[in-house]
Amino acid sequence: MSEWTTDDAEDLYRIQRWSDGYFGIGADGKLLALPNVGKQEVPIALQDVVDELLDQNVQFPVVMRFHDILKNRVKQINESFAAAIADFEYEAPYRGVYPIKVNQMREVVDEIVEAGRPYHYGLEAGSKPELMAVLSYDTGPEALTICNGYKDKDFLRLALLGRKLGRNVVVVIEKFSEIEPLLRLATEMEVQPIIGLRVKMRVKTEGRWSESSGERAKFGLTTSEILNAIRLIQETGYGDAIRLLHFHVGSQLSDIRFVREAVQEAARIYARLVKRGVPLTYLDIGGGLAVDYDGSQTIGLSSMNYTMDDYAGCVVAEVKQICDLEEVAHPTLVTESGRAITAHHSCVVMRVIGEIANDANPIATDPVDDEHILVTNMRDLLADLAEDKNYQDVYNEASSLLDDVLSAFKLGILGLEELARAETLYWRLLRAIAKGLETAEFVSEDLRHIETPLHSQYLCNFSLFQSAADVWAIRQILPVAPITRLNEAPSRNCTLADITCDSDGRIIEFIGEQSNRTALPLHNLVAGEGYYIGLFLTGAYQDVMGDMHNLFGRLNEAHIFCDPEDPTGFYIEEFVAGSSSGQVLNIMQYNPAAMAGQVKAMIDRTVANGQLRSREGVKLVDFYEACLSSYTYLLGPELGELP
Ligand SMILES: *Cc1c(COP(=O)(O)O)cnc(C)c1O
């Protein structure tokens, strides 16, 4: 076998492909962040960030946020549309908005607003608290603020408050019954609203969010509702306010065909409404711009068959063609891309804290006196394997022998010790067959999965439910890769287990060459050395949808900026502490101070009874209090001994 190189690591983990160029591998086998893609002066080694955090006694897991990636994404989408508009001689601008539900973290929104300012990039809100966050940003006089989602009176009042301040706040009507209260409040507050209409699209999309369009969609107005809505709004004297036509056919549109079909349908509706005298000027095509999570560039659920440039080109070309045919002025184009803006910028870096393997701690299997024939037979199979190497025969025999061993144990014929010996020999046999198959020309379907029971589970210090909810909920594929040793051949086939007390808390599907793989090759753990792996593309939805399963709570966060003047290429601008045990307990209605008081009272009683020394009692009280204010995840020895 030729020597393992970083090219082999790239083939295996596909880092450049899924990361859209934001991550790569250094010659020294370190995983690098390249937030400015081609223009990265000094690449950032993730291990250097880990080392700096360890120096500052930061506990893992840590969310690493690369702010320059966010900036780059905002720039890219605006420049993609600008280029398409220039190319097709489209006669109106692009005015994108960022839907904050995708990641509402203040630092994330701050960065997007800053990066978007030169482009008049705006924000979108889908609930009252989101709108309150959005209204606190000054996005400039030309940017849009878009309100989607179901709205009550306060939501509408907040939107009109924004209008009072002179902002371009668009209230998108999702439901016919929102019209009357909106117009009444506008009259009451003496302010001109800007109204958008959400169309229920007929186009059928495919994928996980296909229910967002079609007749059964939750949001939007049917054609007759659109016509009735316009009539009602005009009759109330607000006809001038209808300015935007909106649709959203679902997230992660893997196939550009659906983008094209949806835009065609919407552009036609737009043009026909304009011809009926409705003063529309904005066409808002919602979200859906996908992320290539597995880097396969296909129409698979975790991928996409187009680029951001293709997307912009497709939208601009289709709208232009239909408006030109209909002889209607080109609308200002609005997108509400969220996933594509934030997914790349953050990753979760965690430490592998141990290994769970069936054959990790085997007992001795040397022949003993009075050994049961079933155990001896199993050992003989191992010897056969060394001689004739008919893997299929040996495997078949071993499998039925193992069944016999289990039956014999259940009937009380075999003891625990003999069961353990037979099983250990069986695992060894499987490993030997798996090793032999590596060089075999043909491997039967049966034998292809022989390794599954042999896969190690690497136990990782994180909660899947907090950091990658979609992996659990919708079997989303997220890229996983070690952040060092990429110049070294991995030697273990692993699945990943988290630290929650939930068997579902694991990752058992990974990016593969043709189809997904059920185990990921990783390196062996070395005592005394931390082995850190990254879970990538977590910046959209995953960062903010996590739940409190087992009360682990939010992660420590490092906000990282590029600094080409610094030899490491970065500086950590801010560190945000994750949840402490006291904080998560507080959310569940506990009062940490009272809890500490109760435990102290119990300890005092024990001391008074003479069962505990006073000195020891004080120490235990201090320890309990310290735990309330410390991190919920498992604490290191971060670089210390591995179990
Ligand atoms: C969720 C949502 C978005 C964001 O969709 P992405 O696919 O993440 O870009 C945009 N608009 C509306 C109305 C949404 O509900």
Side-chain angles (χ1 to χ4, degrees):
M1 262 206 317
S2 60
E3 215 176 306
W4 180 270
T5 67
T6 52
D7 289 342
D8 298 314
E10 173 58 36
D11 287 346
L12 172 60
Y13 301 112
R14 307 181 144 223
I15 292 166
Q16 282 177 33
R17 296 190 61 177
W18 55 249
S19 76
D20 223 357
Y22 291 110
F23 293 93
I25 305 177
D28 55 359
K30 288 183 177 170
L31 197 143
L32 305 173
L34 309 156
N36 300 310
V37 204
K39 293 190 239 70
Q40 190 69 24
E41 290 168 57
V42 186
I44 303 171
L46 266 62
Q47 185 63 45
D48 289 351
V49 182
V50 169
D51 291 342
E52 183 159 333
L53 290 167
L54 290 173
D55 276 349
Q56 297 170 18
N57 289 321
V58 168
Q59 300 285 349
F60 280 73
V62 167
V63 173
M64 290 188 187
R65 289 194 193 288
F66 293 94
H67 283 248
D68 298 85
I69 294 183
L70 272 179
K71 281 186 222 169
N72 193 281
R73 295 306 280 180
V74 171
K75 192 164 158 238
Q76 252 195 49
I77 194 168
N78 281 286
E79 291 186 353
S80 289
F81 271 94
I85 283 169
D87 271 3
F88 291 98
E89 298 178 352
Y90 189 84
E91 287 157 5
Y94 167 72
R95 290 283 178 270
V97 296
Y98 168 65
I100 73 164
K101 77 157 188 243
V102 178
N103 194 324
Q104 302 100 338
M105 283 285 299
R106 182 179 54 76
E107 290 87 347
V108 170
V109 182
D110 283 357
E111 201 61 62
I112 291 173
V113 167
E114 248 349 276
R117 203 176 296 286
Y119 308 102
H120 313 292
Y121 200 58
L123 296 170
E124 185 261 11
S127 67
K128 276 185 283 187
E130 284 188 357
L131 180 55
M132 295 176 78
V134 164
L135 286 176
S136 73
Y137 284 96
D138 180 2
T139 46
E142 287 189 51
L144 292 174
T145 299
I146 296 193
C147 305
N148 290 318
Y150 293 128
K151 301 162 203 77
D152 65 3
K153 281 195 195 116
D154 279 352
F155 196 155
L156 296 169
R157 248 188 223 116
L158 281 168
L160 294 172
L161 179 157
R163 287 294 296 142
K164 283 266 186 195
L165 305 177
R167 293 174 62 132
N168 306 312
V169 183
V170 183
V171 175
V172 175
I173 302 296
E174 306 265 12
K175 216 160 145 273
F176 196 84
S177 59
E178 288 169 356
I179 299 170
E180 193 271 332
L182 171 68
L183 300 183
R184 191 155 35 77
L185 284 168
T187 308
E188 225 175 86
M189 291 170 74
E190 297 179 342
V191 70
Q192 175 76 354
I194 305 176
I195 301 175
L197 298 173
R198 178 162 178 174
V199 201
K200 193 174 275 192
M201 299 285 282
R202 259 140 306 243
V203 61
K204 280 263 175 274
T205 59
E206 277 168 15
R208 292 198 184 92
W209 287 274
S210 57
E211 298 277 296
S212 309
S213 69
E215 294 101 16
R216 300 282 306 139
K218 184 166 125 185
F219 292 111
L221 307 175
T222 61
T223 316
S224 27
E225 280 179 317
I226 295 261
L227 296 176
N228 279 331
I230 291 168
R231 197 165 301 132
L232 174 62
I233 296 166
Q234 285 170 341
E235 280 167 10
T236 322
Y238 284 99
D240 299 349
I242 311 173
R243 301 289 303 284
L244 178 142
L245 191 75
H246 173 268
F247 74 86
H248 171 72
V249 289
S251 200
Q252 185 68 13
L253 297 174
S254 295
D255 191 344
I256 197 160
R257 186 161 65 99
F258 296 118
V259 176
R260 178 171 291 115
E261 285 176 15
V263 168
Q264 285 169 346
E265 184 179 335
R268 192 68 74 173
I269 299 170
Y270 178 91
R272 292 293 162 96
L273 289 175
V274 170
K275 280 177 150 171
R276 290 169 72 99
V278 183
L280 294 169
T281 51
Y282 296 101
L283 179 60
D284 177 354
I285 67 166
L289 175 54
V291 167
D292 196 356
Y293 289 97
D294 63 18
S296 67
Q297 300 173 8
T298 61
I299 58 169
L301 292 182
S302 295
S303 189
M304 62 201 280
N305 65 353
Y306 57 96
T307 63
M308 199 184 262
D309 283 343
D310 297 339
Y311 179 80
C314 167
V315 171
V316 170
E318 295 302 330
V319 176
K320 177 182 156 81
Q321 185 168 48
I322 289 173
C323 289
D324 286 352
L325 284 171
E326 295 271 0
E327 296 179 332
V328 158
H330 300 165
T332 296
L333 292 171
V334 182
T335 67
E336 301 173 348
S337 297
R339 186 185 293 280
I341 300 299
T342 62
H344 301 78
H345 91 281
S346 85
C347 57
V348 177
V349 177
M350 55 200 163
R351 182 168 178 255
V352 178
I353 53 172
E355 178 174 7
I356 308 163
N358 279 333
D359 56 350
N361 300 296
I363 65 165
T365 55
D366 301 330
V368 291
D369 295 342
D370 312 330
E371 184 172 74
H372 196 280
I373 183 75
L374 288 173
V375 181
T376 312
N377 285 351
M378 193 68 95
R379 183 179 308 97
D380 289 349
L381 278 177
L382 255 172
D384 287 354
L385 191 66
E387 274 164 29
D388 66 19
K389 287 200 198 302
N390 188 332
Y391 300 129
Q392 186 75 58
D393 286 351
V394 176
Y395 175 66
N396 293 346
E397 252 184 81
S399 301
S400 75
L401 193 53
L402 187 71
D403 288 343
D404 293 345
V405 165
L406 292 175
S407 307
F409 173 72
K410 278 193 239 162
L411 292 170
I413 298 165
L414 282 191
L416 268 177
E417 183 102 6
E418 284 167 313
L419 175 64
R421 291 157 61 82
E423 280 181 338
T424 303
L425 288 165
Y426 175 76
W427 301 128
R428 230 200 277 162
L429 198 77
L430 290 195
R431 279 225 187 272
I433 296 176
K435 182 107 192 88
L437 290 177
E438 278 174 13
T439 48
E441 272 174 22
F442 172 78
V443 181
S444 73
E445 186 59 33
D446 206 21
L447 290 182
R448 210 164 288 164
H449 303 290
I450 191 168
E451 270 200 279
T452 309
L454 299 173
H455 291 158
S456 293
Q457 291 188 64
Y458 269 12
L459 188 59
C460 302
N461 189 11
F462 85 116
S463 156
L464 188 76
F465 305 91
Q466 174 65 45
S467 295
D470 281 345
V471 172
W472 173 74
I474 56 172
R475 289 185 60 196
Q476 167 81 59
I477 297 281
L478 290 179
V480 175
I483 66 165
T484 48
R485 295 168 69 182
L486 293 162
N487 53 354
E488 191 186 311
S491 54
R492 316 287 285 165
N493 256 327
C494 303
T495 59
L496 305 180
D498 76 0
I499 56 167
T500 65
C501 304
D502 194 317
S503 310
D504 270 358
R506 54 193 193 142
I507 303 181
I508 52 170
E509 238 185 326
F510 304 90
I511 298 170
E513 238 157 274
Q514 299 299 328
S515 53
N516 295 332
R517 52 167 81 231
T518 53
L520 184 70
L522 289 171
H523 303 90
N524 61 315
L525 304 178
V526 179
E529 258 179 46
Y531 186 60
Y532 291 85
I533 59 177
L535 181 62
F536 293 89
L537 304 182
T538 56
Y541 303 103
Q542 314 314 306
D543 267 353
V544 293
M545 284 198 328
D547 67 33
M548 297 276 288
H549 199 1
N550 267 142
L551 299 186
F552 281 113
R554 292 198 64 84
L555 278 72
N556 283 330
E557 285 200 6
H559 293 260
I560 301 156
F561 284 75
C562 292
D563 180 3
E565 308 286 297
D566 193 280
T568 60
F570 73 94
Y571 68 98
I572 298 173
E573 195 248 7
E574 188 186 14
F575 169 74
V576 183
S579 305
S580 68
S581 298
Q583 285 169 336
V584 292
L585 286 162
N586 205 339
I587 293 169
M588 291 293 160
Q589 296 281 51
Y590 290 85
N591 177 339
M595 289 162 62
Q598 280 149 4
V599 170
K600 180 171 185 307
M602 284 185 253
I603 288 174
D604 286 348
R605 265 203 311 275
T606 318
V607 170
N609 291 342
Q611 288 161 309
L612 194 68
R613 302 282 306 268
S614 302
R615 190 180 290 277
E616 210 180 334
V618 171
K619 268 199 187 143
L620 291 176
V621 172
D622 288 351
F623 170 67
Y624 185 89
E625 283 174 352
C627 284
L628 280 173
S629 55
S630 66
Y631 201 20
T632 50
Y633 291 84
L634 302 189
L635 300 186
E638 288 296 350
L639 285 172
E641 280 302 295
L642 272 171

